[in-house]
Amino acid sequence: MGNITIRHATIVTVDPHRTIIPDGAITIERDRISMVGNDDAVVKAIKPDVEIDGRGRIAIPGLINSHTHMFQCLVRGLGDDMALIEWINRFMLKIIKVIEPEEAEAGAALSCLEMLRTGVTFILDNHHGKPTEKSVDLVASAIKTSGMRGLVARGITQFTDISGKLGMDPGGFPFTPEEQLKSMKRLLEKWNGAKDSPVKLSPAPGAVFACGDELIKECYTLAEKYRVPCHIHTAESGPANKLFRKETGQGEVTKLNTLGVLGPWTHIVHGIWLDDSEIRLMASKKAHHVHCPVSNMQIASGVAPIPKLLSAGVNVCLGSDGPASNNNQDMFGVMKAAALLQKVSTLDPKVISAYSVLEMATIGGARALAMEQEIGSIEVGKKADIVLVKRDSLTSAPSHRPTSTLVYSSLGSDVDKVFIGGHLLVDGGELMNADSELILERARAASEALFDRAKVRELLSN
Ligand SMILES: [Zn+2]
């Protein structure tokens, strides 16, 4: 097959110059972008074999969801109106204790469809739903089957004194450190061996207070060896952070630095309760910040200091967080929340721009994966992960400023087409390769079975 050329689209490239091309064309050859430019210049230089009409569409790089827990779509809404520690103890640990691998997979398959349909092309799934080897395998396979790219960050946990003081149930920590490391190594060998594998694995210590020091260090060593992130929930809950500081005499990021695990492979997920010295530490060590604004608001965790992080030079990327604290994985909603939360909390409407937020959801995510040469922007030579968003939908027309449309007006349902590696996986808003009804039915059945075994039906009446 020859080239595919998307014509007459408004292209928001997210390249280093923040180039926007009002009447642009993108040529895709095999899995990569071979030309980007003004429509007339591109079609003068190359004869399109297949033309895609991009009129009334904004072309953006595929969105990168840098933090979610896909299985949680099975329990959407059950954790509403709880703060983090109650949410963990009264709800999530009960689910984690009993979830079966096939159920986690059913949730993951549905989450993949949700995200693909709404313009996500790369998923970082922090799988902590009783992550047995089989379960991790099935979740990674669900991403692969969907045609998306992804990283499954396997939750690794250990009951600690501080987890005990926070009232966490030891039963929610079913594996020994040795078991988890052995299984992590086997999974890394299996999934990260192939150079161009679309789905890889990485270690994810559950939280600084829910994983022992030695285990966190082992995780970081593995992350460095396999050149994948060490993805850690850090400084998310105010009360937990306060207790952590009282017990250890230092903040959570400072602690990671003391352990020697704050570096370019570290993902500080949430990073709300940071002091200024920790922001400087993150910048100097080139650690990444994974911001999840909707979840932070939903469970009232607090406001991450994004403007300070950005001005210190920290790379910030964006995640939906799991659908049990969001309660969906629509990155358009996450982008809007990321902008609005900073504006209202600083009382400064200029504190963050729509373009910065779009960068967090694209190239920022790519940098945090060390994949910025491959994905995250529409530039020649990169993988053809491209999303066309309608600018003439009822919620966004008339659209005058493309980045404003994308961040403040667009909904995930405005996504018209999604290409991943040059493959058209969503066309006219329809999923091309998936049996959505079957996947939905499996997820419904899995959640019903899970409610009974986890004994969480009482939460339905809240
Ligand atoms: Zn999370």
Side-chain angles (χ1 to χ4, degrees):
M1 195 177 107
N3 72 68
I4 299 171
T5 301
I6 301 165
R7 299 195 56 192
H8 300 297
T10 302
I11 306 172
V12 178
T13 60
V14 199
D15 70 7
H17 310 289
R18 297 187 162 184
T19 308
I20 297 178
I21 308 169
D23 181 29
I26 305 164
T27 300
I28 302 168
E29 290 186 70
R30 292 181 298 281
D31 62 338
R32 293 190 186 261
I33 298 166
S34 61
M35 283 196 86
V36 184
N38 288 321
D39 185 83
D40 50 2
V42 169
V43 295
K44 229 178 250 170
I46 193 164
K47 184 185 165 311
D49 293 312
V50 176
E51 284 193 28
I52 305 273
D53 187 3
R55 266 174 254 260
R57 304 289 181 264
I58 305 173
I60 56 170
L63 299 172
I64 297 174
N65 187 349
S66 297
H67 182 71
T68 188
H69 310 281
M70 293 200 291
F71 77 91
Q72 289 182 4
C73 71
L74 300 177
V75 291
R76 274 188 224 268
L78 264 66
D80 290 357
D81 311 329
M82 296 181 202
L84 181 68
I85 301 302
E86 182 193 6
W87 184 94
I88 291 173
N89 289 336
R90 207 174 138 216
F91 164 50
M92 192 46 67
L93 284 180
K94 292 183 182 174
I95 302 291
I96 291 170
K97 273 162 82 171
V98 300
I99 191 167
E100 293 293 336
E102 292 75 12
E103 290 165 345
E105 192 266 343
L110 179 57
S111 287
C112 285
L113 293 196
E114 176 190 357
M115 285 186 267
L116 179 57
R117 171 66 189 83
T118 53
V120 172
T121 55
F122 192 109
I123 300 169
L124 195 162
D125 184 53
N126 181 189
H127 182 44
H128 68 98
K130 202 173 176 192
T132 58
E133 214 161 310
K134 182 178 180 188
S135 174
V136 177
D137 248 337
L138 285 174
V139 167
S141 301
I143 301 177
K144 198 171 171 188
T145 304
S146 74
M148 301 171 83
R149 300 183 201 282
L151 182 83
V152 180
R154 181 207 193 276
I156 292 186
T157 55
Q158 187 178 8
F159 191 74
T160 63
D161 283 353
I162 300 181
S163 4
K165 286 182 179 157
L166 288 168
M168 294 169 91
D169 174 2
F173 297 74
F175 311 108
T176 66
E178 296 71 29
E179 279 168 348
Q180 296 178 88
L181 284 173
K182 261 194 198 156
S183 136
M184 186 75 242
K185 285 175 190 166
R186 279 196 297 267
L187 286 161
L188 284 164
E189 283 302 314
K190 177 174 173 186
W191 284 89
N192 296 31
K195 191 175 161 280
D196 213 21
S197 169
V199 181
K200 291 190 175 178
L201 295 195
S202 78
V208 195
F209 54 79
C211 202
D213 293 354
E214 290 310 309
L215 191 51
I216 295 180
K217 285 200 233 172
E218 297 264 18
C219 288
Y220 194 78
T221 304
L222 283 176
E224 269 185 319
K225 178 178 173 193
Y226 286 89
R227 304 179 63 75
V228 288
C230 185
H231 190 78
I232 317 176
H233 287 88
T234 310
E236 178 180 7
S237 145
N241 187 261
K242 205 169 163 192
L243 180 71
F244 190 88
R245 285 175 187 269
K246 189 171 152 240
E247 295 288 319
T248 66
Q250 48 190 185
E252 295 174 50
V253 167
T254 312
K255 170 74 176 184
L256 292 175
N257 189 50
T258 310
L259 293 177
V261 300
L262 191 69
W265 300 106
T266 314
H267 284 188
I268 299 296
V269 182
H270 299 295
I272 295 168
W273 303 97
L274 309 174
D275 54 43
D276 288 351
S277 68
E278 292 183 305
I279 293 173
R280 286 196 295 274
L281 264 179
M282 283 177 67
S284 68
K285 299 287 182 170
K286 298 194 167 20
H288 306 273
H289 188 277
V290 183
H291 181 37
C292 304
V294 178
S295 167
N296 297 163
M297 289 193 276
Q298 169 71 309
I299 47 187
S301 296
V303 183
I306 300 303
K308 280 189 179 180
L309 287 156
L310 289 175
S311 62
V314 176
N315 178 48
V316 177
C317 52
L318 221 50
S320 62
D321 210 347
S325 68
N326 181 308
N327 297 348
N328 65 36
Q329 295 163 100
D330 179 344
M331 289 296 287
F332 287 89
V334 175
M335 287 196 286
K336 183 169 183 170
L340 299 188
L341 178 58
Q342 297 304 325
K343 288 169 192 277
V344 71
S345 64
T346 58
L347 301 180
D348 178 2
K350 293 190 175 67
V351 75
I352 197 161
S353 70
Y355 212 115
S356 302
V357 172
L358 187 62
E359 284 172 335
M360 291 178 202
T362 53
I363 193 71
R367 282 190 198 113
L369 296 159
M371 290 179 72
E372 69 271 30
Q373 303 301 325
E374 289 289 277
I375 57 173
S377 62
I378 298 180
E379 292 180 88
V380 170
K382 286 202 175 179
K383 296 278 191 192
D385 294 2
I386 298 165
V387 175
L388 297 187
V389 184
K390 289 187 220 166
R391 61 189 306 180
D392 52 5
S393 74
L394 291 179
T395 53
S396 55
S399 157
H400 306 295
R401 298 173 59 214
T403 52
S404 168
T405 297
L406 291 165
V407 172
Y408 296 119
S409 305
S410 299
L411 306 172
S413 52
D414 293 334
V415 167
D416 173 41
K417 289 182 172 48
V418 178
F419 292 88
I420 300 183
H423 293 288
L424 184 61
L425 297 181
V426 175
D427 190 10
E430 298 292 327
L431 293 153
M432 304 295 286
N433 296 336
D435 187 341
S436 314
E437 277 311 311
L438 182 74
I439 289 173
L440 256 173
E441 200 38 57
R442 281 182 51 223
R444 277 193 205 109
S447 61
E448 285 298 320
L450 193 54
F451 288 174
D452 288 332
R453 286 202 321 285
K455 301 191 171 43
V456 290
R457 282 202 183 272
E458 48 121 2
L459 297 174
L460 291 168
S461 57
N462 277 0

